[in-house]
Amino acid sequence: MRLIIALLLPFLLFFTIGKPFQGILCLILQITLIGWIPAAIWAVYALSQYNTDKKIAEHH
């Protein structure tokens, strides 16, 4: 579900993983049509980092 959000509404993903400041920056980037692709890539990357951090925290 979060992956779909990352692709369609990249800025919203940052709010769902608890990073509102990055979400605001992503929204500013996303406002420009050219910036949508980098915003989506950034959101997918942030989601993968979030998932990795969660898995590491579960093992410790």
Side-chain angles (χ1 to χ4, degrees), residues 3-58:
L3 183 59
I4 294 170
I5 292 171
L7 295 173
L8 298 178
L9 298 169
F11 75 94
L12 189 58
L13 174 85
F14 289 101
F15 291 101
T16 68
I17 63 173
K19 298 186 177 188
F21 183 71
Q22 289 180 350
I24 293 168
L25 287 176
C26 189
L27 177 60
I28 292 168
L29 177 63
Q30 187 180 329
I31 287 172
T32 65
L33 192 57
I34 296 170
W36 192 288
I37 293 171
I41 292 169
W42 181 24
V44 170
Y45 174 75
L47 178 60
S48 71
Q49 290 299 311
Y50 173 75
N51 289 335
T52 301
D53 291 346
K54 253 179 47 177
K55 287 178 185 174
I56 290 171
E58 288 174 3

